[in-house]
C-alpha cells in the first residue's frame, strides 16, 4: 500500500480576472519510508499541492489517498480525523502552540490522535536533542530548536506521511541541514513517507526522489 | 511627507473597520455615561439652588412657632414695631390632578436678596399677582400637571421648583384653606436701629438661623457622589475598551512605524501624527458620546428625580436642559480619556528603536513580572482599604475605602484568574490534550483579556453589592413597615373642629384612636419633627427599637423621656442616657432609639401629655385607628357618609404599605438602571477585547486546525473558554460584591442617610446575575467564534504562508 497517492490533481483560485489555475493534473506516489522533494519556483503550486494532500484545502478535481484512505471528496470532519491520524505537518514558521511547553507540544498531536506513546515521545525528544528543553515554552527556544520540536510533534503521532513545507526556510544553512538530517533519519526510522517542499536543489538532492513543478504541472527540473 | 504618512496611518483603519468601531464605541460609551451622569447632577443641583433661592432660607433668619403655624396678627405686630419681616405660608394642596406645594409670599415685603421676591414679576405682573383671582407661577412641568385647576391663573416660570406653585400669600391661604395663617416670617438682613426685642413682641416665636449646611445640596451630596462614582466606573470601563483597541492598533502597525521611520519620517513628526490621529478619533467619539450621554441623561432623569424625591423630598424636574459648558467638559473628558488610554502606546512608539525586529511582538503576552507587580499593587490597596475600614471616618473616607477595595479587587483579577486556571488546568490535564491546551491557552490569553475581565468583575461586583444593599434595605424596610404601620386605618380631618367631631364619632366604633400629632422644630441644631405618642400596646409591642433603656415606654408615658430616630441619634451622637432639649418643651432623657428608614430628617417622640402641654396649638387632625381589619371597609364608608371626607384622607394599612413600597421602589429605580448600564458596558468591553484579539487569534488557532481539529470545534472551545473565564470572574466578583454591600450598608449609608442596615444575602439573585453575565459573555464571544467557525481554509492557510 502506498503512503500517499495523488492522481490528476487540479486546483485553481478565483481572481477578479477569472480563475487562475495552480495545479493542472499532478500525479505522484510515495511508498512508506520513502522521501520525495517537491521543487519549483514561487507560484508553481508546491504549497497548494501539499495543503490539498494534508486536507487543508479542497481540490477541484483529482484524488488524494493517504495510507489508503481518500482525503479528497470528504467532509471537513473526515479530513480533520485523517489529518490528525495519518498526516504529520511541518511548517516553515514552526507553528508551535505557544501556551504549551515543549513536552506538551511534542505529545499534543499524538494525544489528539489517541496514539500517545510516552516512551516513543521521550526517545524522539532524545533523538532530536530536546531532552533538556522539555519544560521550556516555545518563546524560550531558538528557531532551530523550535523546528526540531515541530518535527518531533509530527513524528510522535506516528503518521503515515510527513508533509514538510520549507521546514528549513527560516533557519541558517548549518541549522537547516541539521534539522533536515534529523527529519530524514527520523522519518526513515518511523517508516513515514516524507514529502518535502523546498526551493533548494541542494536539500532536494538529499531525498530519495525529486519532482519539479512548473506552472502547475510536473516538468523536468 | 506628512500627508503621505497620514495616509499610511489612516489606511490601517480602513482595513480594520471593526477595530475602529470598537475604539469609537468604547470612547463614545465612556463619554456618554460620564457626561450623562454629570448632566443629571448639574440639573439636580440647579434645581436645589433655585428651590433654595426661591424659599430664601439659605441666607435669612426666620421666625417660627413650635406649633408650625403663626398668626397673621404676629406679623402685623412686628411690622408695626418696625421689624422688616416678610410672611411665608407653605403647605400641600391638590391643584387639578396633582398634589403640589403651595408657597405663598408677599412680594412687597420680601427681602430683595432672596428669590422670594418672585420670578419674573415685572411691574405689570405685580398687580395681577396680588389682585383679583391672583396670578401664580409654576415650573412648566408642574403647569402641565395642574392643568385644569381653576383656582388660580398660573404662568410658566422655570425658576420655580418642580412641584411648587408660587402665589401671593392671600391666594395661598385660600388654596390651603388656612385663613390668617402663616408658616414663618423671614427677617430682612438690614433692620432699622432701636427696635424693641423680638422676645417682647412675639415671645412665643423662635428665631432660627439659616441651617448653614447648604440644605438640599448638602443632604443630597452623597447621592450625587454615588452617581459620580458610577459615572467614573463606567468611564473607566469604557477606557479599557479604548486601551485594548489602541494597543492592538499600535502592535499591528509596529512594522509600519518602523518602515516610516526608516524611510525618513522623523520620530517627532510620527509622534505628532499618532497623537493627532488619536485626538481626531477622540473628538469624533466624544461628539457621538455627548449625544448619547444627553439621551441617556434625558432617559434617566425621571428615575433620578423620583429617587431624589423619595430619598430627600428634593424637587427635581423630569426634563433636561442643554448646557454648552457641560458639552465642553464632556469633550474634554473624551480627549483626556483617549490620551490616558492611548498613553502607553504613544510612550512605546516614542521609545521604539528604529531597528526593532519586524516580527510583531505578541500583543497579548505579558511578563510574569508585570503580573507580580499587579498582584503587589492589589495587596497594597487591600491594606489601604483595610486601614480605611478600621480607622476611616466620614463619607469621603467611606468612598475612599470603596475605591481602594474595588481597585484592589480589579488588579487582583488576572492574578486570581491565573491561579484558578492553573488549579483547573491541573485537574483537567488527564482529561486529554484538548482540555490541557484549553486551560494553558486560557491562561496565556489572560493579559489580552484582563482589562475586559476586570471591567466585568467591577460591573458584577457593583451589581451584587448594590443589589444586596437594596435587597437588604427592602427586606428590612418591609419588616420595619410591618412594625411601624400596625394601625388598621389612618384618618385626617380637614379642620380642628372636624377632628374633634371625628374623635367623638370614632370612640365607640374603634378599639383605639391614636393621635398622630406633630410639630416641626429644631433638635440638636437640625430640622426635625416631634410627635406626641399615646401610651398604647400598638407602640409598646411593635415599635422598631434599636436601643432602649429597660423602662423606656413607662418613662415616655410619664413625660420623663423621649424616643428619637436613628438618624438623629447618629448625627447628634445621642443614645439612651443622653439628654435632648426640645424647644418649647424642655429637656428630656433619651430612653430609646428607633429605626426610621426613608426619612432624611431627625424625629423625636414625646408622651402625648407632655406633647400637648408643650405644644397646645399643634394641629390635631391626624389619627391612627385600631379596629378589626375586616371592619375597615365599613368604617371607611361610614366615615365618608357621616363627614363627607374625601377618600384621600382615609387610608388603610394595606394602602399605606403599598404607597411606602412604591416610594421605595421608585427611590431605587435609578440604581437598577445604572446597574444594567454598567453591566452592558462591561459586556461591550469584553466584546471589544475579543473582537480585537480575534485578529491575532487566527494565527494561534490555525496550527491546531492543521493538526486535525475542526474549525467548528475550535470555535466552540473558544466560546467555552470565554464563558469559563467569565464564570471564574463571577466567582471572584461574588465576595467583592458582598464586601461592597457591607461597606455600603455599614459605612456609606450611615454617613449619607443616618441609618445602618443589617446585611442580608440573596444567593438566588446572584445566580440570576451570574446567568446574565454568562449570557453577556456568550453574546460577546459569539461573533468572534462565528467568524472563526466560518473562516475559510484560505484565511487559515495564510498563517502558514511561507512568504509573509
Amino acid at each position: 500500500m502506498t503512503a500517499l497517492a495523488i492522481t490528476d490533481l487540479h486546483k485553481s483560485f478565483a481572481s477578479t480576472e477569472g480563475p487562475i489555475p495552480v495545479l493542472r493534473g499532478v500525479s505522484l506516489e510515495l511508498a512508506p519510508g520513502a522521501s520525495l522533494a517537491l521543487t519549483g519556483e514561487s507560484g508553481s503550486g508546491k504549497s497548494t499541492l501539499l495543503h490539498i494532500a494534508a486536507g487543508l484545502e479542497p481540490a477541484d478535481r483529482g484524488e488524494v489517498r493517504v495510507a489508503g484512505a481518500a482525503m479528497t471528496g470528504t467532509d471537513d470532519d473526515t479530513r480533520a480525523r485523517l489529518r490528525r491520524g495519518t498526516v504529520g505537518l511541518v511548517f516553515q514558521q514552526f507553528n508551535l502552540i505557544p501556551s504549551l511547553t515543549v513536552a506538551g507540544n511534542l505529545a499534543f498531536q499524538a494525544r489528539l490522535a489517541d496514539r500517545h506513546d510516552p516512551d516513543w515521545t521521550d526517545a524522539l525528544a532524545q533523538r532530536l536533542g530536546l531532552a533538556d528543553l522539555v519544560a521550556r515554552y516555545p518563546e524560550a527556544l531558538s528557531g532551530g530548536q523550535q523546528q526540531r520540536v515541530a518535527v518531533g510533534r509530527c513524528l510522535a503521532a506516528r503518521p503515515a506521511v510527513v508533509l514538510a513545507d520549507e521546514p528549513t526556510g527560516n533557519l541558517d544553512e548549518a541549522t537547516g541541514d541539521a534539522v533536515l538530517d534529523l527529519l530524514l533519519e527520523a522519518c526513515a526510522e518511523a517508516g513515514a513517507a516524507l514529502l518535502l517542499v523546498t526551493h533548494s536543489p541542494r536539500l532536494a538532492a538529499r531525498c530519495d526522489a525529486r519532482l519539479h513543478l512548473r506552472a502547475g504541472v510536473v516538468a523536468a527540473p | 511627507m506628512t500627508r503621505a504618512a497620514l495616509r499610511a496611518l489612516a489606511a490601517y483603519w480602513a482595513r480594520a473597520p471593526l477595530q475602529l468601531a470598537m475604539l469609537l464605541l468604547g470612547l463614545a460609551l465612556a463619554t456618554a455615561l460620564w457626561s450623562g451622569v454629570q448632566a443629571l447632577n448639574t440639573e439636580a443641583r440647579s434645581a436645589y439652588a433655585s428651590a433654595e433661592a426661591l424659599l430664601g432660607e439659605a441666607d435669612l433668619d426666620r421666625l417660627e412657632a413650635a406649633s408650625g403655624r403663626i398668626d397673621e396678627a404676629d406679623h402685623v405686630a412686628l411690622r408695626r414695631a418696625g421689624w422688616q419681616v416678610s410672611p411665608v405660608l407653605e403647605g400641600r394642596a391638590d391643584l387639578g390632578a396633582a398634589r403640589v406645594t403651595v408657597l405663598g409670599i408677599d412680594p412687597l415685603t420680601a427681602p430683595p436678596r432672596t428669590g422670594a421676591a418672585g420670578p419674573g414679576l415685572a411691574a405689570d405682573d405685580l398687580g395681577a399677582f396680588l389682585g383679583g383671582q391672583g396670578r401664580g407661577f409654576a415650573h412648566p412641568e408642574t403647569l402641565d400637571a395642574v392643568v385644569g385647576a381653576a383656582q388660580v391663573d398660573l404662568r410658566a416660570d422655570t425658576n420655580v421648583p418642580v412641584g411648587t406653585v408660587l402665589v401671593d400669600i392671600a391666594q395661598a391661604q385660600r388654596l390651603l384653606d388656612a385663613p390668617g395663617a402663616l408658616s414663618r416670617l423671614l427677617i430682612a438682613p438690614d433692620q432699622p436701629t432701636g427696635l424693641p426685642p423680638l422676645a417682647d413682641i412675639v415671645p412665643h416665636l423662635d428665631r432660627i438661623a439659616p441651617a448653614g449646611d447648604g440644605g438640599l445640596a448638602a443632604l443630597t451630596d452623597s447621592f450625587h457622589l454615588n452617581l459620580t462614582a458610577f459615572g467614573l466606573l463606567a468611564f473607566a470601563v469604557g477606557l479599557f475598551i479604548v486601551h485594548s483597541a489602541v494597543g492592538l492598533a499600535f502592535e499591528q502597525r509596529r512594522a509600519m512605524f518602523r518602515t516610516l521611520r526608516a524611510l525618513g519620517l522623523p520620530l517627532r513628526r510620527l509622534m505628532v501624527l499618532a497623537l493627532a490621529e488619536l485626538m481626531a478619533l477622540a473628538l469624533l467619539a466624544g461628539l457621538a458620546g455627548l449625544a448619547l450621554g444627553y439621551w441617556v441623561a434625558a432617559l434617566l432623569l425621571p428615575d433620578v428625580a423620583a429617587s431624589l424625591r423619595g430619598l430627600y423630598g428634593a424637587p427635581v424636574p423630569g426634563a433636561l436642559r442643554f448646557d454648552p459648558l457641560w458639552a465642553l467638559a464632556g469633550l474634554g473628558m473624551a480627549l483626556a480619556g483617549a490620551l490616558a488610554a492611548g498613553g502607553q502606546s504613544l510612550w512605546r512608539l516614542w521609545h521604539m528603536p528604529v531597528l526593532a525586529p519586524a516580527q510583531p511582538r505578541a500583543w497579548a503576552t505579558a511578563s510574569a513580572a508585570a503580573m507580580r507587580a499587579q498582584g503587589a499593587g492589589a495587596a497594597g490597596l487591600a491594606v489601604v482599604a483595610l486601614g480605611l475600614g478600621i480607622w476611616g471616618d466620614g463619607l469621603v473616607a467611606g468612598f475612599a475605602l470603596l475605591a481602594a477595595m474595588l481597585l484592589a479587587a480589579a488588579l487582583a483579577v488576572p492574578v486570581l484568574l491565573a491561579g484558578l486556571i492553573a488549579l483547573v488546568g491541573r485537574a483537567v490535564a488527564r482529561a486529554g490534550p484538548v482540555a490541557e491546551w484549553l486551560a494553558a491557552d486560557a491562561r496565556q490569553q489572560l493579559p489580552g483579556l484582563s482589562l475586559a475581565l476586570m471591567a466585568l468583575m467591577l460591573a458584577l461586583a457593583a451589581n451584587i453589592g448594590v443589589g444586596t444593599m437594596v435587597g437588604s434595605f427592602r427586606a428590612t424596610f418591609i419588616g420595619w413597615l410591618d412594625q411601624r404601620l400596625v394601625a388598621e386605618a389612618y384618618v385626617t380631618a380637614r379642620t380642628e373642629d372636624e377632628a374633634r367631631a371625628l374623635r367623638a364619632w370614632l370612640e365607640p366604633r374603634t378599639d383605639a384612636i391614636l393621635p398622630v400629632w406633630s410639630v416641626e422644630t429644631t433638635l440638636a441644631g437640625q430640622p426635625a419633627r416631634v410627635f406626641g405618642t399615646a401610651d398604647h400596646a400598638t407602640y409598646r409591642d411593635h415599635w422598631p427599637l434599636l436601643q432602649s433603656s429597660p423602662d423606656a415606654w413607662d418613662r415616655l408615658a410619664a413625660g420623663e423621656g423621649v424616643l428619637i430616630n436613628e438618624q438623629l441619634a447618629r448625627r447628634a451622637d445621642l443614645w439612651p442616657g443622653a439628654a435632648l432639649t426640645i424647644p418649647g418643651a424642655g429637656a428630656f432623657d433619651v430612653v430609646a432609639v428607633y429605626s426610621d428608614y426613608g426619612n432624611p430628617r431627625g424625629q423625636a417622640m414625646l408622651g402625648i401629655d407632655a406633647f400637648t402641654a408643650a405644644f397646645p396649638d399643634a394641629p390635631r387632625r391626624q389619627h391612627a385607628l385600631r379596629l378589626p381589619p375586616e371592619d375597615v371597609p365599613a368604617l371607611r364608608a361610614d366615615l365618608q357618609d357621616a363627614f363627607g371626607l374625601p377618600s384621600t384622607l382615609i387610608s388603610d394599612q394595606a394602602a399605606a404599605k403599598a404607597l411606602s413600597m412604591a416610594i421605595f421602589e421608585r427611590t431605587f429605580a435609578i440604581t437598577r438602571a445604572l446597574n444594567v448600564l454598567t453591566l452592558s458596558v462591561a459586556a461591550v468591553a469584553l466584546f471589544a477585547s475579543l473582537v480585537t484579539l480575534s485578529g491575532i487569534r487566527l494565527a494561534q488557532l490555525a496550527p491546531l486546525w492543521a493538526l486535525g481539529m475542526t474549525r467548528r470545534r475550535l470555535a466552540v472551545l473558544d466560546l467555552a473558554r470565554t464563558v469559563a473565564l467569565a464564570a471564574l470572574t463571577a466567582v471572584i466578583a461574588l465576595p467583592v460584591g458582598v464586601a461592597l454591600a457591607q461597606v455600603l450598608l455599614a459605612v456609606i449609608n450611615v454617613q449619607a442617610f443616618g441609618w445602618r442596615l443589617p446585611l442580608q444575602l440573596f444567593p438566588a439573585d446572584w445566580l440570576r446575575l451570574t446567568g446574565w453575565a454568562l449570557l453577556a459573555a456568550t453574546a460577546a464571544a459569539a461573533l468572534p467564534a462565528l467568524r472563526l467557525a466560518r473562516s475559510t481554509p484560505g484565511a487559515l492557510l495564510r498563517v502558514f504562508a511561507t512568504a509573509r
Side-chain angles (χ1 to χ4, degrees):
Chain A
M1 187 174 61
T2 53
L4 176 66
I6 296 176
T7 312
D8 193 26
L9 200 61
H10 284 76
K11 177 73 180 177
S12 56
F13 290 112
S15 80
T16 50
E17 293 155 9
I20 300 170
V22 178
L23 295 173
R24 296 185 295 167
V26 177
S27 299
L28 64 85
E29 279 200 2
L30 202 49
S35 61
L36 173 69
L38 195 60
T39 60
E41 293 167 359
S42 292
S44 60
K46 306 183 300 290
S47 291
T48 303
L49 185 141
L50 187 134
H51 291 155
I52 294 173
L56 296 173
E57 199 155 21
D60 292 345
R61 186 147 54 89
E63 189 187 48
V64 173
R65 298 189 83 84
V66 180
M71 184 67 92
T72 45
T74 55
D75 62 14
D76 197 39
D77 285 353
T78 309
R79 290 204 301 275
R81 182 174 49 75
L82 273 175
R83 200 156 58 236
R84 62 178 179 262
T86 59
V87 176
L89 282 163
V90 181
F91 301 99
Q92 180 181 350
Q93 301 288 348
F94 323 135
N95 288 308
L96 300 179
I97 298 168
S99 52
L100 296 179
T101 60
V102 167
N105 268 287
L106 281 173
F108 189 77
Q109 191 175 0
R111 294 177 69 190
L112 212 56
D114 210 11
R115 205 184 287 161
H116 180 43
D117 177 352
D119 294 339
W120 169 237
T121 309
D122 288 349
L124 271 174
Q126 201 75 41
R127 178 78 183 80
L128 294 166
L130 299 169
D132 296 334
L133 306 175
V134 288
R136 291 197 191 173
Y137 282 89
E139 66 192 18
L141 301 181
S142 68
Q145 288 169 333
Q146 288 196 49
Q147 197 58 299
R148 279 186 276 153
V149 176
V151 170
R153 177 178 68 184
C154 110
L155 290 175
R158 295 184 190 277
V161 181
V162 171
L163 303 171
D165 192 0
E166 297 278 7
T168 61
N170 263 358
L171 307 175
D172 62 71
E173 193 170 298
T175 311
D177 282 351
V179 167
L180 187 64
D181 285 343
L182 283 170
L183 183 61
L184 287 166
E185 287 166 18
C187 281
E189 283 169 25
L194 171 65
L195 180 63
L196 173 72
V197 168
T198 179
H199 280 293
S200 163
R202 192 175 62 78
L203 295 181
R206 301 184 54 189
C207 291
D208 299 337
R210 180 179 174 187
L211 196 72
H212 190 75
L213 284 184
R214 183 175 296 135
V217 293
V218 176
Chain B
M1 179 172 65
T2 301
R3 186 175 294 182
L6 258 181
R7 198 171 291 167
L9 287 176
Y12 170 79
W13 296 113
R15 295 190 60 193
L18 205 56
Q19 203 180 332
L20 177 65
M22 285 304 117
L23 195 159
L24 293 175
L25 178 69
L27 199 51
L29 274 179
T31 311
L33 290 177
W34 167 258
S35 54
V37 161
Q38 289 316 306
L40 292 173
N41 281 345
T42 308
E43 192 66 36
R45 288 197 172 117
S46 97
Y48 310 149
S50 74
E52 284 177 2
L54 188 73
L55 298 174
E57 289 177 17
D59 308 319
L60 295 179
D61 281 13
R62 61 189 193 272
L63 287 169
E64 287 188 6
S67 65
R69 284 291 160 109
I70 300 175
D71 198 87
E72 237 171 14
D74 291 331
H75 176 218
V76 174
L78 283 165
R79 296 290 302 191
R80 280 191 182 145
W83 278 92
Q84 301 295 305
V85 291
S86 182
V88 175
L89 175 62
E90 187 179 353
R92 302 280 288 169
D94 292 311
L95 276 192
R99 189 160 175 81
V100 296
T101 296
V102 173
L103 188 66
I105 59 163
D106 175 12
L108 298 175
T109 59
R113 274 178 58 191
T114 73
L121 273 185
D124 54 337
D125 283 338
L126 195 57
F129 190 78
L130 294 171
Q133 187 191 21
R135 177 170 298 164
F137 295 90
H139 191 276
E141 227 171 85
T142 316
L143 211 54
D144 291 342
V146 301
V147 70
Q151 300 100 313
V152 64
D153 170 26
L154 287 175
R155 294 286 170 91
D157 196 302
T158 51
N159 292 316
V160 181
V162 174
T164 297
V165 168
L166 182 72
V167 291
D168 173 57
I169 194 98
Q171 296 296 336
Q173 287 171 342
R174 181 173 64 81
L175 291 172
L176 294 170
D177 190 22
L182 303 173
S183 299
R184 53 190 170 270
L185 292 163
L186 301 179
I187 305 174
D190 302 318
Q191 298 285 344
T193 50
L195 293 175
L198 285 170
D200 292 350
I201 311 166
V202 281
H204 53 288
L205 298 186
D206 299 318
R207 180 172 185 154
I208 296 168
D213 58 359
L216 277 178
L219 203 60
T220 53
D221 254 359
S222 60
F223 183 87
H224 293 296
L225 202 55
N226 261 315
L227 272 187
T228 304
F230 252 118
L232 261 182
L233 186 67
F235 189 70
V237 170
L239 290 193
F240 287 172
I241 304 175
V242 181
H243 181 84
S244 296
V246 172
L248 183 66
F250 171 79
E251 287 302 336
Q252 292 191 332
R253 291 192 291 183
R254 187 183 277 262
M256 188 214 292
F257 293 145
R258 196 176 59 89
T259 307
L260 286 172
R261 289 192 57 198
L263 292 176
L265 186 73
L267 177 60
R268 203 174 294 274
R269 182 84 58 92
L270 181 60
M271 284 294 297
V272 169
L273 290 178
L275 187 64
E277 178 194 61
L278 187 64
M279 290 299 97
L281 291 172
L283 198 63
L284 198 65
L287 286 171
L290 279 181
L292 191 62
Y294 189 82
W295 180 71
V296 166
L299 216 63
L300 290 182
L301 190 58
D303 280 348
V304 170
S307 292
L308 286 164
R309 272 196 293 269
L311 283 170
Y312 308 103
V316 176
L320 199 63
R321 283 171 299 182
F322 181 79
D323 181 355
L325 267 181
W326 161 83
L328 278 178
L331 272 184
M333 279 301 275
L335 297 179
L339 261 185
Q344 190 192 8
S345 294
L346 290 172
W347 187 86
R348 270 153 53 189
L349 178 60
W350 181 251
H351 288 88
M352 187 180 78
V354 71
L355 290 177
Q359 175 90 20
R361 191 181 65 86
W363 173 62
T365 58
S367 66
M371 201 174 269
R372 273 200 298 276
Q374 216 168 321
L381 280 166
V383 170
V384 171
L386 198 67
L388 283 166
I390 296 170
W391 294 294
D393 191 26
L395 196 58
V396 174
F399 275 103
L401 162 60
L402 270 190
M405 191 180 81
L406 286 179
L407 209 54
L411 283 175
V413 164
V415 184
L416 291 174
L417 280 178
L420 283 172
I421 292 169
L423 276 178
V424 174
R426 268 200 287 279
V428 301
R430 286 187 188 158
V434 175
E436 186 185 359
W437 164 75
L438 199 59
D441 180 67
R443 195 171 177 183
Q444 203 187 36
Q445 294 300 311
L446 265 184
L449 286 173
S450 64
L451 280 176
L453 291 172
M454 283 155 79
L456 182 65
M457 195 285 295
L458 285 176
L460 280 174
N463 270 268
I464 291 171
V466 175
T468 303
M469 186 268 280
V470 175
S472 299
F473 198 170
R474 184 184 289 111
T476 310
F477 189 70
I478 290 170
W480 173 81
L481 268 185
D482 286 341
Q483 289 177 302
R484 279 287 289 259
L485 296 177
V486 177
E488 284 73 21
Y490 298 85
V491 59
T492 306
R494 286 163 292 196
T495 62
E496 295 296 336
D497 290 341
E498 186 175 61
R500 268 189 294 278
L502 263 176
R503 281 195 290 275
W505 186 86
L506 286 166
E507 186 70 44
R509 294 172 172 85
T510 55
D511 297 337
I513 306 169
L514 306 171
V516 185
W517 302 343
S518 66
V519 292
E520 286 282 354
T521 186
T522 302
L523 296 179
Q526 301 168 27
R529 185 169 279 273
V530 177
F531 281 85
T533 310
D535 184 13
H536 194 267
T538 298
Y539 302 109
R540 285 178 179 263
D541 298 346
H542 299 283
W543 207 246
L545 297 185
L546 297 172
Q547 281 190 29
S548 68
S549 52
D551 50 355
W553 292 108
D554 293 337
R555 293 184 65 195
L556 179 77
E560 297 166 5
V562 64
L563 273 67
I564 62 172
N565 69 356
E566 186 184 1
Q567 290 84 313
L568 181 60
R570 287 192 188 277
R571 286 180 195 142
D573 198 19
L574 292 169
W575 301 95
L580 172 69
T581 301
I582 298 177
F588 296 86
D589 281 348
V590 174
V591 292
V593 174
Y594 57 92
S595 56
D596 187 21
Y597 307 120
N599 170 20
R601 297 185 186 272
Q603 199 178 86
M605 288 165 64
L606 267 180
I608 191 69
D609 296 336
F611 179 86
T612 48
F615 307 109
D617 298 330
R620 300 180 182 188
R621 292 187 288 152
Q622 198 178 3
H623 297 87
L625 309 178
R626 301 304 313 266
L627 69 162
E630 61 273 16
D631 294 349
V632 172
L635 182 80
R636 172 193 279 270
D638 291 348
L639 265 173
Q640 283 175 323
D641 289 345
F643 292 89
L645 273 183
S647 60
T648 50
L649 295 181
I650 314 165
S651 63
D652 58 31
Q653 191 190 74
K657 278 184 186 170
L659 182 69
S660 298
M661 284 312 295
I663 291 170
F664 179 90
E665 297 299 344
R666 272 208 311 277
T667 299
F668 288 100
I670 180 65
T671 312
R672 277 188 293 276
L674 285 173
N675 271 344
V676 171
L677 272 179
T678 315
L679 195 59
S680 307
V681 175
V684 173
L686 194 58
F687 174 70
S689 291
L690 290 169
V691 165
T692 47
L693 279 175
S694 68
I696 54 174
R697 187 81 180 127
L698 216 53
Q700 295 163 349
L701 296 178
L704 292 149
W705 169 69
L707 292 177
M709 290 172 73
T710 61
R711 285 164 286 171
R712 196 177 56 245
R713 190 176 180 200
L714 284 172
V716 168
L717 287 173
D718 225 32
L719 189 69
R721 182 209 53 171
T722 305
V723 174
L725 282 176
L728 290 176
T729 305
V731 169
I732 296 171
L734 185 59
V736 179
V738 173
L740 175 63
Q742 179 61 19
V743 172
L744 286 172
L745 290 169
V747 181
I748 303 288
N749 272 1
V750 176
Q751 298 290 342
F753 305 119
W755 59 71
R756 182 175 178 145
L757 297 159
L759 176 72
Q760 300 193 32
L761 304 180
F762 303 93
D765 287 356
W766 303 339
L767 267 180
R768 197 165 37 243
L769 182 66
T770 305
W772 279 112
L774 296 187
L775 204 65
T778 308
L783 181 65
L786 202 65
R787 284 170 67 189
L788 176 62
R790 290 185 175 172
S791 57
T792 60
L796 288 157
L797 283 172
R798 272 197 288 280
V799 174
F800 309 121
T802 50
R804 295 184 177 205

